[in-house]
Every structure is written in C-alpha cells, then in structure tokens.
Amino acid sequence: MLGLKYIVGFKDMTIYKFDTVTNKYFEDDWSFLVEYETFTNRNIFMVTGKLTIYNKISESDGRNETFSFKLIFDNKEEINNLFKH
C-alpha cells in the first residue's frame, strides 16, 4: 500500500482512492472510515480515528486492513473550514 493516495471524506465516512490510470479519485466501496473524533485546545485542532483500507493482494485475494490515525494542526480556524460545506 506504500505510495497509494487516499482522500478521507469525514462528512460521509467515505474513502476515495487515486486511480493512476485516469489520474482521478474515485469512491472506494471496500474501504471506509470506521470512526473519528475531533478535539480543540487553544490553537491546536486534532482529529483521531480509525479507517479500514481494502488492500488487493492479487486477483483472487484481498484484505481489509485497519489503521489508526492522528492529525494535529496548529491553527484551528483554517482547518475547521475544511469540514464546512
């Protein structure tokens, strides 16, 4: 999975995977955001959670792998705007 690109859709708990053939992101129906939680403290904005990524091993084998993540930003005003539509 090294070198693969993903976008996480926090609003709909969706994972988007980059397709190197079309150079576009598409919704990965086999991967999803399991949970996430946001925290703010002074000028720090943090998002923690877990996501499950589908890893295609071969044509007949694929596995879901769960990852934990922690994103920390030092300017909560700018980053909070990313979650608004």
Side-chain angles (χ1 to χ4, degrees), residues 12-28:
D12 57 2
M13 308 285 276
T14 304
I15 305 292
Y16 300 89
K17 185 177 180 180
F18 185 73
D19 181 10
T20 56
V21 175
T22 62
N23 286 331
K24 296 181 180 179
Y25 285 91
F26 67 94
E27 187 174 337
D28 186 351

Side-chain angles (χ1 to χ4, degrees), residues 2 21 55 63 74:
L2 185 63
V21 175
N55 187 11
R63 300 184 184 137
D74 62 3

Side-chain angles (χ1 to χ4, degrees), residues 6-50:
Y6 294 93
I7 293 177
V8 177
F10 289 96
K11 183 176 180 180
D12 57 2
M13 308 285 276
T14 304
I15 305 292
Y16 300 89
K17 185 177 180 180
F18 185 73
D19 181 10
T20 56
V21 175
T22 62
N23 286 331
K24 296 181 180 179
Y25 285 91
F26 67 94
E27 187 174 337
D28 186 351
D29 294 331
W30 296 95
S31 302
F32 53 93
L33 182 62
V34 177
E35 63 185 15
Y36 76 95
E37 196 169 354
T38 60
F39 304 92
T40 56
N41 185 3
R42 298 184 186 171
N43 287 333
I44 300 294
F45 178 73
M46 183 169 65
V47 181
T48 62
K50 292 183 181 179

Side-chain angles (χ1 to χ4, degrees), residues 34-79:
V34 177
E35 63 185 15
Y36 76 95
E37 196 169 354
T38 60
F39 304 92
T40 56
N41 185 3
R42 298 184 186 171
N43 287 333
I44 300 294
F45 178 73
M46 183 169 65
V47 181
T48 62
K50 292 183 181 179
L51 51 90
T52 299
I53 301 289
Y54 177 74
N55 187 11
K56 184 176 179 181
I57 308 295
S58 67
E59 289 300 323
S60 61
D61 188 15
R63 300 184 184 137
N64 285 334
E65 300 181 44
T66 301
F67 298 90
S68 296
F69 65 88
K70 186 182 294 184
L71 305 172
I72 301 172
F73 303 95
D74 62 3
N75 189 337
K76 68 180 181 180
E77 288 302 318
E78 288 180 23
I79 215 64

